[in-house]
């Protein structure tokens, strides 16, 4: 079919075997069910002229134009046909009326920006990832509907594509004065910052794979992100919330609109909530119900989620609101209209998560391990026949392993895998025993030609670990990764394979990845979290001979903490003071925040007298001197670091 050229000189077209696979998939999919296409265009008011949104720093933050190849009606053999359908649906772009009183700007960022008509202004549900894309969404509705102030902001959950754009919508002064409330579920702030700080550098690096953020948009590269096109590369922000929903069900009137908040912790995010609008008969499903089965384990790295709890919260929504609602809309994808359709989607997704949980444990209780389950678990055929129950963001493969990981952990019970050799240590032995590089390459080529890509990956991966400079091995591994990637329905898995192929061919790419941090997020850390994050950055080998007990006092907030360095380990307890500390440091929390965002150093604050010191500060200074700045561009695969 497609004879388009590959974006990479070493890239390959879909192989005959991949073409056969895609054809077999096309034959089984329920293309006759076209309701998604009616729903995703319904209510379109305006599509803007522009396709790009620029970041304030000068880079392109968002670019729908680079995906226009998806709109030519061509079937690409390098894209799973089910994923291609989803990728076309996510070409959504513009301002849509969900119903009178509710509008969405879709396709300006990974997530939608939803506007509810309040008495005095727009009540915004979720803000997109970046200041720039949120600002563009507000400008879009102001231009095509009418210009109104933002009267309230609701963050449905603690992921950055739902709060990062807040400064593009409201002035912090109006939030602080109480004029514009920011409404969030319980635990929002803690989870919003915790998720991105302790393992943040590793997560961003891994997101190069899961989201393919720097992999070119192409039928052979990035085509979609399942719940939207991609993640915007703009400026993230955060303003401290002013109203926290703590109960399972809470009813409030916000700017004249009655809202029933439905708490759903432990689902798609640790802090999340749905909202029902009883007077509008409209159900906001947050990110709990979108047009895909989601991640129980998100491949960039995150705590494993609870498929059973997720299912139960969808079930609650079905019984609380599902008989009354006339429209269901969410922070990603498109709305569903009519009680029958809403119930169909809620039931199908409820059952998908429940079946995943139960089906996997059903097999685990018969001895199927975390290293086998992805080849064993299958959802029932009735769920496979429903588009909204297919796994574009998650995949049955990595989600099934996640369920076992949640209940049983990563070990399969075989002592041989309990303290395995590191890949780079085991690989040379395998290569030697397999008869060396030439034999492995020859077999790898045969397996590639036969379409046995995962088997080829098994041996070529060993060779690449043993010989990271073996270009032929890296390129053949890339070719096999690529065909596996082309065959995936899940964007997370496709992007991981295709981005890995890209790095094997060209090494780690340049470019501006989306940021999950920034001054606002750092400032939102508690002082205890800040020191806990420093403890992760500490090179403990350099403080073997250092010990201290330090009391920290924040006069402006009244907070007190004790920080100890002992056994080359930094620990912090909020709410305690040592009776006989080596040093007491008194610094306003506001002044510590300047250190947290990197504007000044801790030593500067002492030197200028902003922080006052009573006792011996040398141990604390030695600790600050032994902190490591993490470099995000570490290798995920051997031999892919940029050439110096
Ligand atoms: Zn999201």
């Amino acid at each position: 079919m497609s004879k388009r050229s590959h974006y990479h000189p070493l890239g390959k077209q879909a192989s005959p075997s991949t073409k056969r696979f895609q054809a077999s998939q096309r034959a089984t999919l329920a293309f006759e069910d076209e309701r998604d296409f009616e729903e995703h265009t319904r209510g379109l008011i305006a599509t803007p002229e522009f396709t790009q949104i620029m970041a304030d720093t000068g880079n392109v933050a968002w670019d729908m134009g680079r995906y226009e190849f998806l709109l030519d009606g061509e079937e690409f053999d390098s894209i799973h046909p089910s994923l291609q359908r989803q990728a076309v649906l996510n070409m959504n772009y513009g301002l849509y009326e969900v119903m009178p009183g509710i509008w969405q700007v879709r396709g300006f960022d990974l997530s939608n920006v939803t506007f509810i008509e309040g008495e005095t202004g727009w009540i915004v549900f979720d803000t997109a990832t970046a200041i720039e894309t949120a600002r563009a969404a507000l400008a879009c509705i102001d231009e095509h509907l009418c210009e109104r102030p933002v009267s309230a902001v609701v963050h449905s959950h603690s992921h950055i594509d739902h709060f990062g754009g807040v400064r593009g919508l409201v002035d912090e002064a109006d939030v602080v004065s109480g004029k514009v409330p920011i409404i969030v579920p319980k635990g929002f702030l803690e989870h919003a910052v915790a998720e991105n700080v302790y393992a943040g550098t590793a997560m961003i690096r891994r997101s190069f794979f899961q989201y393919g953020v720097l992999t070119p948009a192409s039928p052979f590269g990035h085509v979609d992100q399942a719940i939207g096109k991609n993640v915007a590369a703009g400026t993230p922000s955060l303003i401290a919330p002013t109203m926290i929903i703590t109960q399972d069900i809470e009813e409030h009137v916000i700017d004249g609109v009655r809202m029933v908040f439905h708490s759903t912790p432990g689902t798609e995010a640790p802090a999340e909530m749905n909202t029902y609008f009883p007077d509008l008969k409209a159900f906001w499903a947050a990110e709990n119900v979108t047009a895909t089965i989601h991640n129980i384990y998100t491949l960039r790295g995150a705590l494993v989620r609870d498929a059973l709890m997720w299912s139960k919260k969808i079930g609650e929504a079905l019984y609380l609101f599902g008989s009354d609602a006339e429209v269901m809309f969410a922070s990603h994808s498109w709305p569903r209209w009519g009680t029958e359709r809403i119930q169909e989607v809620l039931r199908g997704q409820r059952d998908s998560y429940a079946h995943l949980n139960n089906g996997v444990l059903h097999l685990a209780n018969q001895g199927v391990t975390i290293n086998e389950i992805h080849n064993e678990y299958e959802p029932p055929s009735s769920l496979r026949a429903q588009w909204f129950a297919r796994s574009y963001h998650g995949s049955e493969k990595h989600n099934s392993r996640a369920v076992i990981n949640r209940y049983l952990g990563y070990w399969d019970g075989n002592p041989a895998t309990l303290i395995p050799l590191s890949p780079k240590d085991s690989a040379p032995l395998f290569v030697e025993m397999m008869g060396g590089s030439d034999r492995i390459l020859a077999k790898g080529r045969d397996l590639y030609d036969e379409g046995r890509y995962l088997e080829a990956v098994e041996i070529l991966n060993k060779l690449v670990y043993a010989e990271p400079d073996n270009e032929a091995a890296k390129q053949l591994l890339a070719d096999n990764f690529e065909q596996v990637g082309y065959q995936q329905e899940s964007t997370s898995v496709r992007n991981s394979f295709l981005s890995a192929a890209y790095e094997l061919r060209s090494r780690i790419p340049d470019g501006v990845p989306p940021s999950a941090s920034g001054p606002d997020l750092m400032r939102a850390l508690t002082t205890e979290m800040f020191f806990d994050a420093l403890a992760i950055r500490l090179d403990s080998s350099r403080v073997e001979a250092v010990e201290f007990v330090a009391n920290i006092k924040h006069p402006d907030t009244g907070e007190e903490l004790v920080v100890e360095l002992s056994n080359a380990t930094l620990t912090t307890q909020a709410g305690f003071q040592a009776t006989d500390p080596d040093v007491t440091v008194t610094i306003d929390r506001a002044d510590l925040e300047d250190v947290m965002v990197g504007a000044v150093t801790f030593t500067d604050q002492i030197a200028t007298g902003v922080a006052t010191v009573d006792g011996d500060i040398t141990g604390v200074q030695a600790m600050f001197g032994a902190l490591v700045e993490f470099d995000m561009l570490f290798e995920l695969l051997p031999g892919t670091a940029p050439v110096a």
Side-chain angles (χ1 to χ4, degrees):
M1 298 196 186
S2 175
K3 290 283 182 284
R4 294 188 188 221
S5 56
H6 197 294
Y7 69 86
H8 197 282
L10 296 172
K12 304 293 185 294
Q13 299 281 323
S15 68
S17 167
T18 294
K19 287 181 183 177
R20 281 193 299 277
F21 175 81
Q22 311 291 35
S24 72
Q25 293 295 303
R26 265 182 215 113
T28 65
L29 293 163
F31 286 110
E32 65 281 2
D33 177 358
E34 295 192 324
R35 289 175 293 171
D36 287 334
F37 285 92
E38 294 154 24
E39 289 163 339
H40 101 291
T41 50
R42 180 169 164 175
L44 177 64
I45 292 172
T47 301
E49 302 280 304
F50 60 85
T51 58
Q52 285 189 340
I53 300 169
M54 299 303 292
D56 295 342
T57 44
N59 58 292
V60 176
W62 184 252
D63 188 352
M64 285 297 268
R66 65 192 192 125
Y67 297 100
E68 273 168 4
F69 63 86
L70 287 164
L71 299 177
D72 296 348
E74 185 175 341
E75 286 180 341
F76 295 104
D77 284 319
S78 52
I79 310 174
H80 189 290
S82 173
L83 172 57
Q84 181 171 341
R85 180 185 175 280
Q86 184 81 351
V88 170
L89 283 162
N90 279 331
M91 291 303 284
N92 264 346
Y93 192 52
L95 174 65
Y96 297 76
E97 184 185 78
V98 175
M99 62 173 291
I102 302 178
W103 295 267
Q104 289 189 312
V105 172
R106 298 189 210 131
F108 277 42
D109 200 312
L110 183 67
S111 52
N112 303 328
V113 182
T114 299
F115 297 88
I116 314 284
E117 183 177 17
E119 269 173 11
T120 66
W122 302 122
I123 304 161
V124 180
F125 272 61
D126 290 354
T127 64
T129 309
I131 293 170
E132 296 89 340
T133 49
R135 198 192 288 140
L138 182 61
C140 180
I141 192 166
D142 281 348
E143 179 191 345
H144 294 288
L145 233 52
C146 64
E147 204 170 323
R148 311 183 80 207
V150 170
S151 58
V153 173
V154 176
H155 298 310
S156 68
H157 65 286
S158 51
H159 292 154
I160 196 162
D161 54 320
H162 303 265
F163 66 80
V166 65
R167 284 188 194 272
L169 300 170
V170 294
D171 273 332
E172 187 166 13
D174 290 336
V175 177
V176 173
S177 75
K179 189 172 151 204
V180 179
I182 293 184
I183 305 163
V184 300
K186 187 180 165 194
F188 166 87
L189 198 57
E190 296 82 337
H191 290 294
V193 292
E195 177 157 325
N196 296 315
V197 172
Y198 297 143
T201 308
M203 284 185 188
I204 294 172
R205 177 67 181 101
R206 291 163 60 115
S207 76
F208 281 40
F209 276 21
Q210 186 198 341
Y211 297 114
V213 288
L214 297 180
T215 303
S218 154
F220 306 99
H222 194 276
V223 298
D224 202 50
Q225 200 45 63
I227 51 173
K229 217 67 215 156
N230 207 329
V231 186
T235 313
S237 61
L238 176 64
I239 298 177
T242 55
M243 180 175 162
I244 297 168
I245 303 301
T246 58
Q247 304 302 307
D248 290 349
I249 300 284
E250 259 188 65
E251 186 169 329
H252 295 273
V253 176
I254 307 295
D255 193 19
V257 180
R258 198 150 68 95
M259 302 181 187
V260 178
F261 295 105
H262 171 219
S263 296
T264 65
T267 53
E268 190 265 335
E272 186 147 358
M273 60 184 184
N274 299 325
T275 304
Y276 190 58
F277 301 85
D279 301 322
L280 300 168
K281 294 189 177 296
F283 172 54
W284 161 259
E287 194 165 332
N288 287 314
V289 182
T290 59
T292 174
I293 295 306
H294 213 288
N295 288 297
I296 298 303
Y297 169 53
T298 189
L299 297 177
R300 73 176 153 82
L303 296 180
V304 168
R305 298 168 185 163
D306 183 346
L308 183 60
M309 180 58 71
W310 200 329
S311 167
K312 285 187 181 295
K313 289 296 175 184
I314 295 173
E316 269 182 26
L318 172 67
Y319 278 90
L320 285 167
F321 317 119
S323 302
D324 193 48
E326 290 171 2
V327 64
M328 173 169 71
F329 60 117
S331 58
H332 294 272
S333 311
W334 47 91
R336 318 289 188 174
W337 285 270
T339 305
E340 197 179 326
R341 176 66 161 157
I342 293 166
Q343 293 203 4
E344 176 192 356
V345 174
L346 286 172
R347 280 209 163 78
Q349 292 223 347
R350 176 197 67 185
D351 294 349
S352 295
Y353 293 107
H355 191 276
L356 176 70
N357 186 82
N358 304 338
V360 165
L361 294 179
H362 181 85
L363 293 167
N365 280 317
Q366 297 176 79
V368 179
T369 72
I370 194 168
N371 294 328
E372 300 161 335
I373 190 68
H374 51 285
N375 295 319
E376 303 282 331
Y377 172 73
E378 276 190 23
S381 54
S382 55
L383 285 174
R384 282 185 184 278
Q386 307 183 62
W387 291 113
F388 56 79
R390 298 191 71 97
S391 290
Y392 302 106
H393 202 28
S395 76
E396 292 88 0
K397 295 181 185 71
H398 69 263
N399 278 344
S400 58
R401 300 184 78 178
V403 172
I404 294 196
N405 192 22
R406 181 172 183 90
Y407 284 89
L408 300 173
Y410 59 81
W411 186 44
D412 64 359
N414 177 347
T417 67
L418 191 52
I419 42 172
L421 292 172
S422 293
K424 69 175 172 24
D425 296 326
S426 81
L429 180 62
F430 275 90
V431 170
E432 182 195 337
M433 298 308 294
M434 284 191 277
S437 165
D438 290 347
R439 286 195 60 176
I440 296 171
L441 283 170
K443 182 68 178 175
R445 277 187 207 102
D446 288 347
L447 291 168
Y448 179 87
D449 290 342
E450 292 167 33
R452 293 158 66 184
Y453 305 117
L454 289 175
E455 290 164 74
V457 164
E458 190 79 21
I459 59 169
L460 291 166
N461 186 50
K462 294 277 193 287
L463 180 54
V464 168
Y465 268 98
E467 300 177 13
D469 298 325
N470 187 328
E471 279 303 312
K474 282 194 283 188
Q475 299 315 330
L476 189 53
L477 181 59
D479 290 348
N480 281 281
F481 276 170
E482 183 167 71
Q483 298 300 322
V484 176
Y486 289 164
Q487 295 184 14
Q488 301 305 309
E489 184 175 23
S490 160
T491 57
S492 300
V493 183
R494 173 189 170 94
N495 289 335
S496 296
F497 275 95
L498 295 187
S499 301
Y502 186 44
E503 292 194 6
L504 284 167
R505 286 171 178 152
S506 295
R507 298 177 176 266
I508 300 169
D510 294 331
V512 181
S515 170
S517 188
D520 277 352
L521 276 91
M522 291 308 293
R523 221 177 272 124
L525 296 175
T526 64
T527 302
E528 184 173 19
M529 289 167 83
F530 172 63
F531 277 98
D532 285 343
L534 294 185
I536 293 165
R537 286 178 50 204
L538 183 65
D539 178 352
S540 66
S541 70
R542 288 162 60 190
V543 290
E544 296 262 9
V546 182
E547 289 196 343
F548 65 76
V549 175
N551 283 343
I552 309 276
K553 293 178 188 290
H554 291 324
D556 57 342
T557 61
E559 290 171 275
E560 293 183 333
L561 304 94
V562 60
V563 181
E564 285 197 29
L565 180 64
S566 58
N567 300 304
T569 305
L570 188 71
T571 57
T572 303
Q573 306 289 147
F576 290 90
Q577 294 278 273
T579 48
D580 187 20
D582 298 305
V583 63
T584 297
V585 180
T586 305
I587 179 171
D588 277 342
R589 161 71 198 192
D591 294 322
L592 184 69
E593 286 178 10
D594 292 339
V595 179
M596 292 163 70
V597 302
V600 295
T601 67
F602 199 73
T603 308
D604 292 339
Q605 299 293 58
I606 293 170
T608 55
V610 170
T612 56
V613 170
D614 179 14
D616 179 7
I617 194 69
T618 54
V620 174
Q621 284 173 323
M623 181 274 290
F624 272 98
L627 297 178
V628 170
E629 281 296 339
F630 294 129
D631 178 1
M632 176 177 62
L633 296 180
F634 56 82
E635 287 184 342
L636 289 169
L637 289 160
T640 57
V643 180

